[in-house]
Amino acid sequence: MSEPIQLKEGSPGRLLGAVLWPSFLVAAAATFVFFANIDPETLRSATFPSWEIGRRMGYTIGFFMFWGWAALSSALTLILYRPVARARRRHESPNEH
Amino acid sequence: MSTSSTEAKGTARRRHRKNAQDETEAVVQSMYQSREKVYPREIKGRFQTLRKACVFLLLGLFYVLPWVPWGDRQAVLFDLPARQFHIFGLTLWPQDFFYLALLLILSALTLFWVTAMAGRVWCGYACPQTVWTEVFMWIERWTEGDRAKRMKLDKGPWNANKLVRKGGKHTLWVLFAAWTGFTFVGFFTPITELGARLLTFDLGPWETFWALFYGFATWGNAGFMRENVCLYMCPYARFQSAMFDRNTLIISYDEARGEPRGGRRRDADPRELGLGDCIDCNLCVQVCPTGIDIRDGLQYECIACGACIDACDQVMDRMNYPRGLIRYTTENALEGKSTRLLRPRVIVYGLLLLAVASAAGVSLALREPLRMDIVPDRNALYRLVDNDSVVENVYMLKVMNMDSKVHSYRVSAEGLPTIRVETQPPVFKVAPGEVRSVPARVQADFDAVAGKFVADIALTARSTDDPNLTVREDTRFHAPTEQ
């Protein structure tokens, strides 16, 4: 029953996937490594001691923060990489015929 | 498809009518065969039995483990709010992150090592994506029927039958996914408690969120995305080829033996017809969960599940040809060269694996479930007591009990003549997981230390109930500079 993915190269859905999915993987790894070493409770008392943030909330904020920054990096990569790729293709196409 | 092979297919079709029913289906269905939507056909055989065994073993572990008790808690519990991981008798603290890192390195090395030798066995037999997809496909087969029935059902109009079958499938999928999500959260929250609260609709917001999230991911990935996860989302699928060489086990079609492919009567001699052993029945394509044709050569879409081997072996048996037209083999073997198992990359991965594994094993075996941090009193470097005859330094000891039961400790000092230590109280209890701050006064006779200014000493905390449980930490002792 699996549907084929029918997204054209450069379609918004595909670009969104290319930005959000790798950053999700990286954010998961980063959250794991970061919070294994740093207790969100300690972090809170060192930064915003007056705020009421539980550990679970801390983990969640951390994860979405990592995801956001990683997604930004993925998006930048896409933007910087694409024009070059397109130019190269245009340059190469006459030779292929 | 060339004309000759279409003709061949015609011959094959006539022959198949006389043969087993499922083979007949195979040929009739081949005209519906779509590269866009994959309807994997069920197949039985050695490798599918092995896969089924893996599904039961791995998913069995997943669904059963949280329910296994160990003392007064569950055997495997990742208690995130308390920041401790329980794995049977072992309790890991954030300070033990080192072991978790080692475990990840071990897993990665094992994956590289196995991939270098046996190819993508991880993908075919152990990856959660493949394993859960299998279960979702069983449900699909059970409710909607085999490949032909599923295709017919999808093409047909919405009637009562389709509604019941599709509705049944989706209900079972959602129930199974929900159970999976619940089990997942059960690794992080005691599952019996969680179940009781589920029955009274009293789940916390995070538990609800993660149960739904994991359930939804399972449902989407195993029910709908399936091979697309392997094709488009999996990083391992993209870089696994870096571990491959010409001696790596791959699933391959023996082109030299199979070509030219074509249909023929069962009693016909293929050599006379100028044909190879491939009867072009297309079964290998139909059973493929990723919808590729293995006869086109090694493709990165191939998850090495072995379904095409089982399908082809069945056909070879029926044709009275030797098995193995599609088989596990290596590039070298296909070219008639010998395959070497031991080659530099296998040896290097293996040695690395052995080194890390033994390091992890030794350090885990020697791990002391006790830690002590020594914080010197910052107000005064030293003070003189007992009519200036004794020099005293004050420290705060932070003693952490990482064991799963209560222990009492006593502290001793060494490193200077006449040195002694007095904690408040002299013997103190620390609960499992507790960090207890204990003030300690370390004293030495004035005559023994005067003029030293600063000396290295060591404090040792020893459990009074288990003499093997000790921790020794170095610190500095300050004394007056002049006599």
Side-chain angles (χ1 to χ4, degrees):
Chain A
M1 233 297 290
S2 58
E3 302 293 337
I5 291 184
Q6 283 164 332
L7 293 174
K8 281 198 196 102
E9 206 170 323
S11 70
R14 192 145 174 177
L15 292 183
L16 211 62
V19 170
L20 291 183
W21 176 243
S23 44
F24 176 86
L25 291 180
V26 170
T31 310
F32 177 75
V33 172
F34 185 81
F35 286 117
N37 289 292
I38 288 165
D39 184 350
E41 202 63 38
T42 329
L43 206 59
R44 179 192 64 96
S45 57
T47 49
F48 303 106
S50 57
W51 293 12
E52 288 226 357
I53 309 174
R55 276 199 177 125
R56 281 196 176 109
M57 191 51 141
Y59 295 138
T60 313
I61 294 173
F63 172 73
F64 282 104
M65 190 195 71
F66 282 125
W67 196 3
W69 286 111
L72 197 65
S73 161
S74 290
L76 266 179
T77 307
L78 260 192
I79 292 168
L80 293 177
Y81 181 75
R82 284 170 61 77
V84 177
R86 222 178 283 146
R88 186 181 298 145
R89 208 172 300 143
R90 212 177 294 138
H91 178 71
E92 281 174 359
S93 54
N95 302 339
E96 284 168 10
H97 286 293
Chain B
M1 196 175 281
S2 68
T3 337
S4 63
S5 77
T6 319
E7 279 165 16
K9 195 155 275 166
T11 332
R13 196 171 300 150
R14 278 191 295 282
R15 178 185 55 77
H16 279 298
R17 260 186 217 124
K18 290 182 230 144
N19 279 338
Q21 191 201 348
D22 58 346
E23 243 183 284
T24 317
E25 277 172 17
V27 175
V28 174
Q29 282 149 23
S30 64
M31 36 186 171
Y32 296 112
Q33 186 186 310
S34 154
R35 297 291 296 204
E36 293 186 334
K37 192 166 181 174
V38 183
Y39 292 88
R41 179 191 174 88
E42 189 181 13
I43 190 78
K44 290 193 168 60
R46 297 176 284 163
F47 296 108
Q48 297 326 292
T49 311
L50 189 60
R51 285 189 83 201
K52 211 169 264 185
C54 286
V55 169
F56 276 105
L57 178 74
L58 294 170
L59 287 190
L61 274 180
F62 177 81
Y63 291 101
V64 170
L65 260 188
W67 297 98
V68 178
W70 188 271
D72 50 357
R73 54 169 172 79
Q74 76 189 48
V76 178
L77 180 67
F78 305 115
D79 194 343
L80 287 180
R83 290 176 74 73
Q84 41 185 280
F85 288 3
H86 303 287
I87 302 160
F88 295 95
L90 187 71
T91 301
L92 293 176
W93 302 87
Q95 286 75 7
D96 297 318
F97 175 70
F98 169 68
Y99 295 105
L100 229 49
L102 268 185
L103 186 71
L104 288 184
I105 296 171
L106 270 181
S107 314
L109 277 175
T110 312
L111 189 64
F112 292 173
W113 191 50
V114 171
T115 307
M117 288 188 297
R120 293 174 71 172
V121 282
W122 162 261
C123 300
Y125 300 91
C127 176
Q129 174 63 27
T130 344
V131 167
W132 264 308
T133 299
E134 269 302 293
V135 179
F136 272 65
M137 289 208 287
W138 293 344
I139 295 175
E140 191 170 71
R141 254 172 226 144
W142 190 61
T143 50
E144 293 187 357
D146 62 21
R147 184 171 188 265
K149 286 190 186 141
R150 291 205 300 279
M151 289 195 202
K152 211 173 138 197
L153 196 68
D154 273 2
K155 278 203 183 344
W158 278 97
N159 52 24
N161 178 42
K162 185 165 177 172
L163 209 63
V164 168
R165 286 183 179 277
K166 291 258 171 199
K169 176 180 87 174
H170 285 288
T171 312
L172 285 178
W173 274 6
V174 166
L175 284 177
F176 186 70
W179 183 248
T180 307
F182 169 78
T183 308
F184 176 72
V185 175
F187 277 94
F188 300 91
T189 304
I191 198 164
T192 40
E193 217 179 279
L194 192 72
R197 280 189 286 124
L198 177 72
L199 293 179
T200 53
F201 299 100
D202 191 25
L203 290 187
W206 294 114
E207 288 155 0
T208 316
F209 171 76
W210 283 112
L212 288 179
F213 181 87
Y214 200 84
F216 176 76
T218 309
W219 176 75
N221 284 339
F224 299 94
M225 298 288 284
R226 290 192 185 169
E227 78 280 359
N228 294 313
V229 174
C230 313
L231 299 189
Y232 300 105
M233 292 164 72
C234 178
Y236 171 67
R238 304 292 172 99
F239 69 72
Q240 42 84 21
S241 61
M243 272 88 79
F244 274 55
D245 58 26
R246 303 186 64 81
N247 291 303
T248 301
L249 215 52
I250 52 171
I251 291 179
S252 183
Y253 164 69
D254 191 340
E255 212 175 312
R257 187 186 141 191
E259 297 296 319
R261 66 185 81 160
R264 77 287 309 262
R265 298 169 57 86
R266 187 144 69 146
D267 47 12
D269 180 5
R271 305 293 166 262
E272 257 170 46
L273 297 169
L275 290 170
D277 277 355
C278 175
I279 64 164
D280 204 13
C281 63
N282 251 335
L283 267 179
C284 55
V285 182
Q286 290 178 16
V287 296
C288 180
T290 64
I292 57 168
D293 188 341
I294 192 71
R295 295 170 300 176
D296 295 342
L298 185 61
Q299 293 145 79
Y300 100 93
E301 289 93 335
C302 174
I303 58 166
C305 66
C308 51
I309 303 184
D310 285 334
C312 194
D313 280 352
Q314 275 185 15
V315 175
M316 290 298 111
D317 287 353
R318 244 173 242 147
M319 298 297 291
N320 286 325
Y321 296 166
R323 284 182 167 194
L325 180 58
I326 301 174
R327 62 176 184 271
Y328 271 108
T329 180
T330 66
E331 276 186 76
N332 271 346
L334 275 176
E335 289 169 12
K337 297 177 194 156
S338 63
T339 299
R340 277 193 311 143
L341 179 65
L342 290 179
R343 26 203 220 274
R345 83 167 66 212
V346 171
I347 296 171
V348 169
Y349 285 145
L351 284 179
L352 277 175
L353 190 62
L354 195 69
V356 179
S358 36
V362 167
S363 69
L364 204 60
L366 299 177
R367 171 182 176 271
E368 288 291 352
L370 172 63
R371 271 174 71 99
M372 179 170 67
D373 287 330
I374 303 174
V375 186
D377 182 14
R378 288 189 202 158
N379 293 324
L381 286 179
Y382 63 87
R383 58 185 187 194
L384 301 172
V385 291
D386 286 351
N387 298 326
D388 294 354
S389 66
V390 170
V391 184
E392 181 179 275
N393 281 206
V394 177
Y395 304 88
M396 186 62 81
L397 307 182
K398 291 184 184 296
V399 180
M400 182 178 190
N401 176 7
M402 302 193 294
D403 205 0
S404 47
K405 49 182 191 282
V406 187
H407 286 292
S408 297
Y409 304 98
R410 185 193 289 280
V411 177
S412 60
E414 60 194 298
L416 280 174
T418 73
I419 193 169
R420 62 255 180 194
V421 58
E422 202 174 284
T423 56
Q424 192 54 247
V427 174
F428 50 91
K429 267 188 186 168
V430 187
E434 189 197 359
V435 183
R436 180 159 178 185
S437 296
V438 184
R441 299 188 311 176
V442 177
Q443 297 182 335
D445 287 351
F446 185 90
D447 299 338
V449 296
K452 280 196 190 286
F453 181 53
V454 62
D456 291 322
I457 61 162
L459 297 182
T460 303
R462 185 182 300 272
S463 169
T464 53
D465 46 286
D466 178 3
N468 293 323
L469 196 58
T470 63
V471 61
R472 184 191 146 106
E473 287 295 333
D474 293 329
T475 188
R476 310 184 111 184
F477 185 87
H478 291 271
T481 39
E482 73 276 0
Q483 294 273 340

